[in-house]
Amino acid sequence: MTTSLPPLQQWVDEVTELTNPDRIHWCTGSEVEYEQLIADMQATGTLSALNQDEYPNCYLHLSDPTDVARVEHLTYVCTENKEDAGPNNNWMSPADGHAKVDALFDGAMRGRTMYVIPYCMGPIDSPYSRCGVEITDSPYVVVNMKIMTRMGAAPLERIEREGKFIKGLHSTGDLDPERRFIMHFPDELSIKSIGSGYGGNALLGKKCHALRIASFQAREEGWLAEHMLIMGLESPDGETHYIACAFPSACGKTNLAMLIPPHSLPGWKIWTLGDDIAWLHLDEDGRLRAINPESGYFGVVPGTNAKTNPNAFDMIRHDTIFTNVARTTDNEPWWEGKKDGEPAFDWQGREYDPADGKAAHPNSRFTVAATNNPSYSKLADAPEGVPISAIVFGGRRARLAPLVYEAKDWNHGVLVGASVGSETTAADAAEVGVIRRDPMAMKPFCGYNFADYWTHWLSFPDRTDKLPRIFHVNWFRQDGEGNFLWPGFGENMRVLCWIIDRCENRIGAKETPVGYLPEDGDIDTSELDISAATMRELLSIDIAHWKKENDHFGEYLDGFGARVPEALRAEQQRVAEELNQAL
Ligand code: OXD
Ligand code: MN
């Protein structure tokens, strides 16, 4: 196979010349191709079959132990002007960026097959979708892209028709962390990634295209590319509201996106559209509509069990690629928090010895088609997407943020989103309780200067008066002894019901300097073992603590200098004044 599109053919020829592969394979996206690649990888030891009776069509890949996560310090945005990348990104000039990685790509595919993967982010016939082509020397990337994107012949046909595509060049190189770079060239709509086979660094449709490059395009074209799950909440009388939620990585987006409502809320159903990325566009009526550009989940495995995420636990029982989990003696996948079985071999393939650390890598992953999810929403494939009633931000805050609150208006909501942060835990930092600022949960993913990004968010009320309401949730509030106050997981549905009631103007709220909070008793706690005092604590705000937080955020904004939009400063100062008055 080749292509009728000259610029694509020319680029493939240039890459062939540079990287020197032994063979070129244009991916069709067929099942036969997938099965052949799975068989080839088993033959070379890249993949091994798991227990096929218990886990049909499930396979295990073990990464190089130095290549198990995204590498933010090796991820660059290459723009002519450093200010355009902003303090939120590592920067290199495009000339330096190309020179640095092209030297590493030189001959990198010798002895290997080069795969050309045409893909479409979003429903194949949606005007909101965007296509790309990833060239890679990793068959593991190809099979993962088959699950995570619409890939192969149909996207190639769309690319040839439209003549437009994002160029993504990837090679695992020699997996040496010293020769690992993830480079983005937003002005050229291209990506070059070398030295890593890990999902976020290597499946270029995901973070590189659908967030970093897409966020840049979205600003130019007037839409938003966000690190958000999308879910539908169907009420007992059959009305469905869609919400989009942005939480930093590892704050439970996948669990929330497919939660099962508690028995005490009979008749409610959840429909999952996406667990990681949302592309949001204003439609002709001025409503914000969302599509999920992905078609699968690349989720964290540890902690997944029948209680925390029953839908995910079911969906990864078949047709799943596991990466860096442990195995039992029966060759079943095993991970910490599975609550079933014992590990026999760890994520490095060694006989399990607790002295070597965890059996499954804490960032071990499942790759699975969205259609495997029992709560899959067919509208995930709808070209027009779904209308969004609420945008929900969240972070991991032990003390500060209440269980839920609502922003006063869109501009205040932009401040709420921009101030998203999570406190570091003992597991990931020497200093516990430090705030890691993660505006809109996009710190690792915004492809341009955050100050310009906030300006873009603030431009939406000029274009429509039908914007969704904005909320903030915190599932992680703790008492003085460090115990979580809120049960989380399926019970989070109770908070989502309050959010829907607010969107429908069915319920009042308490006005405070930080936003609107639920009145006592307005969050349904029936059949939940939680005292009225605990609920009050969960919904309390400490004005002095908020004042410190607001000041801290003001200092953070200073780091972005004169580009910070005036309206965001004004919001921060307005809240500061209200807090001062309340003190
Ligand atoms: C992430 C992910 O790191 O989704 O955010 O993998
Ligand atoms: Mn993510």
Side-chain angles (χ1 to χ4, degrees), residues 70 72 198-200 206-207 211 227 247-250 253-254 275-277 294 298-300 363 365 441 444-445:
R70 285 186 288 103
E72 281 169 39
Y198 173 76
K206 192 175 179 63
K207 304 297 191 181
L211 286 174
H227 192 204
F247 310 149
S249 305
K253 284 208 302 298
T254 304
D275 77 330
D276 197 39
I277 302 178
E294 302 189 282
F298 182 69
V300 174
N363 192 33
R365 297 281 174 148
F445 309 121

PDB file of all heavy atoms in Angstrom, residues 70 72 198-200 206-207 211 227 247-250 253-254 275-277 294 298-300 363 365 441 444-445, ligand 1:
ATOM      1  N   ARG A  70       5.498   8.766  31.579  1.00  0.00           N
ATOM      2  CA  ARG A  70       5.778   9.966  30.798  1.00  0.00           C
ATOM      3  C   ARG A  70       7.017  10.648  31.367  1.00  0.00           C
ATOM      4  O   ARG A  70       7.348  10.498  32.537  1.00  0.00           O
ATOM      5  CB  ARG A  70       4.597  10.931  30.849  1.00  0.00           C
ATOM      6  CG  ARG A  70       3.428  10.493  29.991  1.00  0.00           C
ATOM      7  CD  ARG A  70       2.339  11.553  29.945  1.00  0.00           C
ATOM      8  NE  ARG A  70       1.616  11.664  31.175  1.00  0.00           N
ATOM      9  CZ  ARG A  70       1.783  12.627  32.074  1.00  0.00           C
ATOM     10  NH1 ARG A  70       2.653  13.603  31.851  1.00  0.00           N
ATOM     11  NH2 ARG A  70       1.097  12.648  33.188  1.00  0.00           N
ATOM     12  N   GLU A  72       8.206  14.258  31.699  1.00  0.00           N
ATOM     13  CA  GLU A  72       7.928  15.680  31.482  1.00  0.00           C
ATOM     14  C   GLU A  72       9.210  16.476  31.265  1.00  0.00           C
ATOM     15  O   GLU A  72       9.233  17.415  30.472  1.00  0.00           O
ATOM     16  CB  GLU A  72       7.119  16.248  32.657  1.00  0.00           C
ATOM     17  CG  GLU A  72       5.652  15.862  32.516  1.00  0.00           C
ATOM     18  CD  GLU A  72       4.802  16.144  33.738  1.00  0.00           C
ATOM     19  OE1 GLU A  72       4.997  17.192  34.375  1.00  0.00           O
ATOM     20  OE2 GLU A  72       3.931  15.302  34.035  1.00  0.00           O
ATOM     21  N   TYR A 198       6.833   3.916  26.033  1.00  0.00           N
ATOM     22  CA  TYR A 198       5.721   4.082  26.973  1.00  0.00           C
ATOM     23  C   TYR A 198       4.553   4.856  26.347  1.00  0.00           C
ATOM     24  O   TYR A 198       4.765   5.861  25.657  1.00  0.00           O
ATOM     25  CB  TYR A 198       6.200   4.797  28.256  1.00  0.00           C
ATOM     26  CG  TYR A 198       5.026   5.115  29.147  1.00  0.00           C
ATOM     27  CD1 TYR A 198       4.424   4.113  29.894  1.00  0.00           C
ATOM     28  CD2 TYR A 198       4.460   6.387  29.176  1.00  0.00           C
ATOM     29  CE1 TYR A 198       3.293   4.381  30.660  1.00  0.00           C
ATOM     30  CE2 TYR A 198       3.338   6.671  29.944  1.00  0.00           C
ATOM     31  CZ  TYR A 198       2.762   5.658  30.688  1.00  0.00           C
ATOM     32  OH  TYR A 198       1.643   5.914  31.433  1.00  0.00           O
ATOM     33  N   GLY A 199       3.341   4.444  26.677  1.00  0.00           N
ATOM     34  CA  GLY A 199       2.114   5.006  26.106  1.00  0.00           C
ATOM     35  C   GLY A 199       2.116   6.503  25.860  1.00  0.00           C
ATOM     36  O   GLY A 199       2.044   6.959  24.724  1.00  0.00           O
ATOM     37  N   GLY A 200       2.196   7.289  26.939  1.00  0.00           N
ATOM     38  CA  GLY A 200       2.086   8.739  26.802  1.00  0.00           C
ATOM     39  C   GLY A 200       3.196   9.356  25.958  1.00  0.00           C
ATOM     40  O   GLY A 200       3.042  10.451  25.417  1.00  0.00           O
ATOM     41  N   LYS A 206      -2.373  10.315  21.456  1.00  0.00           N
ATOM     42  CA  LYS A 206      -2.958  10.620  22.760  1.00  0.00           C
ATOM     43  C   LYS A 206      -2.496  11.984  23.281  1.00  0.00           C
ATOM     44  O   LYS A 206      -3.021  13.023  22.891  1.00  0.00           O
ATOM     45  CB  LYS A 206      -2.616   9.467  23.726  1.00  0.00           C
ATOM     46  CG  LYS A 206      -3.390   9.503  25.028  1.00  0.00           C
ATOM     47  CD  LYS A 206      -3.093   8.287  25.871  1.00  0.00           C
ATOM     48  CE  LYS A 206      -3.828   8.298  27.199  1.00  0.00           C
ATOM     49  NZ  LYS A 206      -5.294   8.265  27.114  1.00  0.00           N
ATOM     50  N   LYS A 207      -1.510  12.008  24.177  1.00  0.00           N
ATOM     51  CA  LYS A 207      -1.145  13.267  24.824  1.00  0.00           C
ATOM     52  C   LYS A 207      -0.503  14.245  23.828  1.00  0.00           C
ATOM     53  O   LYS A 207      -0.742  15.448  23.884  1.00  0.00           O
ATOM     54  CB  LYS A 207      -0.183  13.002  25.987  1.00  0.00           C
ATOM     55  CG  LYS A 207      -0.718  12.027  27.034  1.00  0.00           C
ATOM     56  CD  LYS A 207      -1.944  12.546  27.725  1.00  0.00           C
ATOM     57  CE  LYS A 207      -2.305  11.700  28.943  1.00  0.00           C
ATOM     58  NZ  LYS A 207      -3.504  12.185  29.616  1.00  0.00           N
ATOM     59  N   LEU A 211      -3.769  16.412  22.908  1.00  0.00           N
ATOM     60  CA  LEU A 211      -3.701  17.497  23.891  1.00  0.00           C
ATOM     61  C   LEU A 211      -2.703  18.596  23.491  1.00  0.00           C
ATOM     62  O   LEU A 211      -3.100  19.733  23.291  1.00  0.00           O
ATOM     63  CB  LEU A 211      -3.385  16.956  25.289  1.00  0.00           C
ATOM     64  CG  LEU A 211      -4.580  16.232  25.943  1.00  0.00           C
ATOM     65  CD1 LEU A 211      -4.200  15.591  27.262  1.00  0.00           C
ATOM     66  CD2 LEU A 211      -5.766  17.184  26.143  1.00  0.00           C
ATOM     67  N   HIS A 227      -7.955  17.938  29.132  1.00  0.00           N
ATOM     68  CA  HIS A 227      -7.653  16.690  29.843  1.00  0.00           C
ATOM     69  C   HIS A 227      -8.874  16.337  30.708  1.00  0.00           C
ATOM     70  O   HIS A 227      -8.838  16.498  31.930  1.00  0.00           O
ATOM     71  CB  HIS A 227      -6.410  16.938  30.709  1.00  0.00           C
ATOM     72  CG  HIS A 227      -5.802  15.703  31.289  1.00  0.00           C
ATOM     73  ND1 HIS A 227      -5.022  15.742  32.431  1.00  0.00           N
ATOM     74  CD2 HIS A 227      -5.826  14.405  30.904  1.00  0.00           C
ATOM     75  CE1 HIS A 227      -4.596  14.522  32.712  1.00  0.00           C
ATOM     76  NE2 HIS A 227      -5.064  13.692  31.819  1.00  0.00           N
ATOM     77  N   PHE A 247      -9.369  16.344  36.101  1.00  0.00           N
ATOM     78  CA  PHE A 247      -8.583  16.124  37.316  1.00  0.00           C
ATOM     79  C   PHE A 247      -7.159  15.801  36.890  1.00  0.00           C
ATOM     80  O   PHE A 247      -6.961  15.157  35.859  1.00  0.00           O
ATOM     81  CB  PHE A 247      -9.084  14.929  38.143  1.00  0.00           C
ATOM     82  CG  PHE A 247     -10.550  14.897  38.429  1.00  0.00           C
ATOM     83  CD1 PHE A 247     -11.202  13.685  38.569  1.00  0.00           C
ATOM     84  CD2 PHE A 247     -11.298  16.061  38.575  1.00  0.00           C
ATOM     85  CE1 PHE A 247     -12.566  13.618  38.841  1.00  0.00           C
ATOM     86  CE2 PHE A 247     -12.651  16.010  38.848  1.00  0.00           C
ATOM     87  CZ  PHE A 247     -13.285  14.783  38.973  1.00  0.00           C
ATOM     88  N   PRO A 248      -6.180  16.193  37.709  1.00  0.00           N
ATOM     89  CA  PRO A 248      -4.800  15.813  37.400  1.00  0.00           C
ATOM     90  C   PRO A 248      -4.669  14.298  37.243  1.00  0.00           C
ATOM     91  O   PRO A 248      -5.503  13.543  37.756  1.00  0.00           O
ATOM     92  CB  PRO A 248      -4.021  16.305  38.626  1.00  0.00           C
ATOM     93  CG  PRO A 248      -4.845  17.427  39.178  1.00  0.00           C
ATOM     94  CD  PRO A 248      -6.276  17.028  38.926  1.00  0.00           C
ATOM     95  N   SER A 249      -3.606  13.860  36.570  1.00  0.00           N
ATOM     96  CA  SER A 249      -3.350  12.436  36.388  1.00  0.00           C
ATOM     97  C   SER A 249      -3.390  11.749  37.753  1.00  0.00           C
ATOM     98  O   SER A 249      -2.954  12.313  38.758  1.00  0.00           O
ATOM     99  CB  SER A 249      -1.969  12.228  35.768  1.00  0.00           C
ATOM    100  OG  SER A 249      -1.872  12.955  34.572  1.00  0.00           O
ATOM    101  N   ALA A 250      -3.927  10.524  37.763  1.00  0.00           N
ATOM    102  CA  ALA A 250      -3.960   9.689  38.981  1.00  0.00           C
ATOM    103  C   ALA A 250      -4.875  10.249  40.073  1.00  0.00           C
ATOM    104  O   ALA A 250      -4.641  10.037  41.249  1.00  0.00           O
ATOM    105  CB  ALA A 250      -2.553   9.459  39.517  1.00  0.00           C
ATOM    106  N   LYS A 253      -9.968   9.783  37.268  1.00  0.00           N
ATOM    107  CA  LYS A 253     -10.884  10.089  36.155  1.00  0.00           C
ATOM    108  C   LYS A 253     -11.511   8.809  35.608  1.00  0.00           C
ATOM    109  O   LYS A 253     -12.700   8.773  35.326  1.00  0.00           O
ATOM    110  CB  LYS A 253     -10.149  10.821  35.023  1.00  0.00           C
ATOM    111  CG  LYS A 253      -9.861  12.280  35.331  1.00  0.00           C
ATOM    112  CD  LYS A 253      -9.767  13.169  34.085  1.00  0.00           C
ATOM    113  CE  LYS A 253      -8.713  12.726  33.098  1.00  0.00           C
ATOM    114  NZ  LYS A 253      -7.348  12.774  33.683  1.00  0.00           N
ATOM    115  N   THR A 254     -10.693   7.758  35.453  1.00  0.00           N
ATOM    116  CA  THR A 254     -11.223   6.525  34.866  1.00  0.00           C
ATOM    117  C   THR A 254     -12.308   5.938  35.776  1.00  0.00           C
ATOM    118  O   THR A 254     -13.364   5.514  35.302  1.00  0.00           O
ATOM    119  CB  THR A 254     -10.081   5.516  34.618  1.00  0.00           C
ATOM    120  OG1 THR A 254      -9.100   6.159  33.803  1.00  0.00           O
ATOM    121  CG2 THR A 254     -10.573   4.259  33.920  1.00  0.00           C
ATOM    122  N   ASP A 275     -12.494   8.799  29.179  1.00  0.00           N
ATOM    123  CA  ASP A 275     -11.925   8.854  30.531  1.00  0.00           C
ATOM    124  C   ASP A 275     -10.703   9.767  30.622  1.00  0.00           C
ATOM    125  O   ASP A 275     -10.106   9.863  31.684  1.00  0.00           O
ATOM    126  CB  ASP A 275     -11.550   7.444  31.022  1.00  0.00           C
ATOM    127  CG  ASP A 275     -10.245   6.941  30.396  1.00  0.00           C
ATOM    128  OD1 ASP A 275      -9.942   7.337  29.238  1.00  0.00           O
ATOM    129  OD2 ASP A 275      -9.527   6.177  31.058  1.00  0.00           O
ATOM    130  N   ASP A 276     -10.324  10.437  29.512  1.00  0.00           N
ATOM    131  CA  ASP A 276      -9.059  11.183  29.594  1.00  0.00           C
ATOM    132  C   ASP A 276      -9.047  12.503  28.823  1.00  0.00           C
ATOM    133  O   ASP A 276      -8.460  13.458  29.294  1.00  0.00           O
ATOM    134  CB  ASP A 276      -7.916  10.285  29.086  1.00  0.00           C
ATOM    135  CG  ASP A 276      -6.538  10.784  29.507  1.00  0.00           C
ATOM    136  OD1 ASP A 276      -6.411  11.259  30.650  1.00  0.00           O
ATOM    137  OD2 ASP A 276      -5.591  10.705  28.698  1.00  0.00           O
ATOM    138  N   ILE A 277      -9.672  12.528  27.642  1.00  0.00           N
ATOM    139  CA  ILE A 277      -9.531  13.714  26.785  1.00  0.00           C
ATOM    140  C   ILE A 277     -10.890  14.113  26.206  1.00  0.00           C
ATOM    141  O   ILE A 277     -11.664  13.248  25.776  1.00  0.00           O
ATOM    142  CB  ILE A 277      -8.529  13.432  25.631  1.00  0.00           C
ATOM    143  CG1 ILE A 277      -7.165  13.024  26.226  1.00  0.00           C
ATOM    144  CG2 ILE A 277      -8.371  14.659  24.724  1.00  0.00           C
ATOM    145  CD1 ILE A 277      -6.112  12.664  25.201  1.00  0.00           C
ATOM    146  N   GLU A 294     -10.488   9.764  21.575  1.00  0.00           N
ATOM    147  CA  GLU A 294      -9.948   8.401  21.667  1.00  0.00           C
ATOM    148  C   GLU A 294     -11.056   7.361  21.507  1.00  0.00           C
ATOM    149  O   GLU A 294     -12.240   7.664  21.665  1.00  0.00           O
ATOM    150  CB  GLU A 294      -9.266   8.198  23.016  1.00  0.00           C
ATOM    151  CG  GLU A 294      -8.141   9.204  23.259  1.00  0.00           C
ATOM    152  CD  GLU A 294      -7.326   8.877  24.486  1.00  0.00           C
ATOM    153  OE1 GLU A 294      -7.776   9.146  25.609  1.00  0.00           O
ATOM    154  OE2 GLU A 294      -6.222   8.347  24.300  1.00  0.00           O
ATOM    155  N   PHE A 298      -6.406   3.813  28.221  1.00  0.00           N
ATOM    156  CA  PHE A 298      -5.046   3.422  28.609  1.00  0.00           C
ATOM    157  C   PHE A 298      -4.971   3.756  30.092  1.00  0.00           C
ATOM    158  O   PHE A 298      -4.551   4.842  30.473  1.00  0.00           O
ATOM    159  CB  PHE A 298      -4.044   4.225  27.762  1.00  0.00           C
ATOM    160  CG  PHE A 298      -2.605   3.881  28.042  1.00  0.00           C
ATOM    161  CD1 PHE A 298      -2.087   2.640  27.683  1.00  0.00           C
ATOM    162  CD2 PHE A 298      -1.761   4.799  28.642  1.00  0.00           C
ATOM    163  CE1 PHE A 298      -0.753   2.334  27.935  1.00  0.00           C
ATOM    164  CE2 PHE A 298      -0.435   4.497  28.888  1.00  0.00           C
ATOM    165  CZ  PHE A 298       0.074   3.263  28.542  1.00  0.00           C
ATOM    166  N   GLY A 299      -5.477   2.837  30.924  1.00  0.00           N
ATOM    167  CA  GLY A 299      -5.706   3.184  32.326  1.00  0.00           C
ATOM    168  C   GLY A 299      -4.710   2.546  33.274  1.00  0.00           C
ATOM    169  O   GLY A 299      -4.085   1.527  32.971  1.00  0.00           O
ATOM    170  N   VAL A 300      -4.602   3.160  34.445  1.00  0.00           N
ATOM    171  CA  VAL A 300      -3.737   2.625  35.506  1.00  0.00           C
ATOM    172  C   VAL A 300      -4.418   1.382  36.094  1.00  0.00           C
ATOM    173  O   VAL A 300      -5.592   1.427  36.446  1.00  0.00           O
ATOM    174  CB  VAL A 300      -3.536   3.685  36.613  1.00  0.00           C
ATOM    175  CG1 VAL A 300      -2.762   3.115  37.790  1.00  0.00           C
ATOM    176  CG2 VAL A 300      -2.815   4.905  36.054  1.00  0.00           C
ATOM    177  N   ASN A 363       2.531   2.298  37.923  1.00  0.00           N
ATOM    178  CA  ASN A 363       1.966   2.904  36.707  1.00  0.00           C
ATOM    179  C   ASN A 363       1.701   1.836  35.636  1.00  0.00           C
ATOM    180  O   ASN A 363       1.704   2.128  34.444  1.00  0.00           O
ATOM    181  CB  ASN A 363       2.916   3.980  36.170  1.00  0.00           C
ATOM    182  CG  ASN A 363       2.261   4.852  35.096  1.00  0.00           C
ATOM    183  OD1 ASN A 363       1.063   5.115  35.145  1.00  0.00           O
ATOM    184  ND2 ASN A 363       3.044   5.273  34.105  1.00  0.00           N
ATOM    185  N   ARG A 365      -0.433  -0.536  33.235  1.00  0.00           N
ATOM    186  CA  ARG A 365      -1.576  -0.037  32.469  1.00  0.00           C
ATOM    187  C   ARG A 365      -2.361  -1.148  31.795  1.00  0.00           C
ATOM    188  O   ARG A 365      -1.818  -2.206  31.490  1.00  0.00           O
ATOM    189  CB  ARG A 365      -1.066   0.911  31.357  1.00  0.00           C
ATOM    190  CG  ARG A 365      -0.365   2.158  31.871  1.00  0.00           C
ATOM    191  CD  ARG A 365      -1.371   3.177  32.321  1.00  0.00           C
ATOM    192  NE  ARG A 365      -0.775   4.345  32.945  1.00  0.00           N
ATOM    193  CZ  ARG A 365      -1.303   5.566  32.875  1.00  0.00           C
ATOM    194  NH1 ARG A 365      -2.407   5.777  32.199  1.00  0.00           N
ATOM    195  NH2 ARG A 365      -0.748   6.570  33.512  1.00  0.00           N
ATOM    196  N   ALA A 441      -5.766  20.843  35.057  1.00  0.00           N
ATOM    197  CA  ALA A 441      -5.145  19.507  34.946  1.00  0.00           C
ATOM    198  C   ALA A 441      -4.354  19.386  33.644  1.00  0.00           C
ATOM    199  O   ALA A 441      -4.137  18.285  33.128  1.00  0.00           O
ATOM    200  CB  ALA A 441      -6.196  18.400  35.055  1.00  0.00           C
ATOM    201  N   PRO A 444       0.997  19.217  32.255  1.00  0.00           N
ATOM    202  CA  PRO A 444       1.905  18.485  31.353  1.00  0.00           C
ATOM    203  C   PRO A 444       1.470  18.510  29.888  1.00  0.00           C
ATOM    204  O   PRO A 444       2.165  17.963  29.043  1.00  0.00           O
ATOM    205  CB  PRO A 444       1.851  17.042  31.880  1.00  0.00           C
ATOM    206  CG  PRO A 444       1.027  17.067  33.130  1.00  0.00           C
ATOM    207  CD  PRO A 444       0.196  18.295  33.085  1.00  0.00           C
ATOM    208  N   PHE A 445       0.323  19.107  29.582  1.00  0.00           N
ATOM    209  CA  PHE A 445      -0.275  18.876  28.263  1.00  0.00           C
ATOM    210  C   PHE A 445      -0.632  20.112  27.453  1.00  0.00           C
ATOM    211  O   PHE A 445      -1.038  19.993  26.304  1.00  0.00           O
ATOM    212  CB  PHE A 445      -1.547  18.023  28.427  1.00  0.00           C
ATOM    213  CG  PHE A 445      -1.338  16.777  29.249  1.00  0.00           C
ATOM    214  CD1 PHE A 445      -2.050  16.546  30.411  1.00  0.00           C
ATOM    215  CD2 PHE A 445      -0.393  15.834  28.858  1.00  0.00           C
ATOM    216  CE1 PHE A 445      -1.849  15.397  31.172  1.00  0.00           C
ATOM    217  CE2 PHE A 445      -0.177  14.686  29.613  1.00  0.00           C
ATOM    218  CZ  PHE A 445      -0.916  14.467  30.777  1.00  0.00           C
TER     219      PHE A 445
HETATM  220  C1  OXD B   1      -1.917  10.603  32.235  1.00  0.00           C
HETATM  221  C2  OXD B   1      -2.567   9.515  31.491  1.00  0.00           C
HETATM  222  O1  OXD B   1      -0.745  10.462  32.593  1.00  0.00           O
HETATM  223  O2  OXD B   1      -3.742   9.667  31.146  1.00  0.00           O
HETATM  224  O3  OXD B   1      -2.583  11.619  32.480  1.00  0.00           O
HETATM  225  O4  OXD B   1      -1.921   8.484  31.205  1.00  0.00           O
END
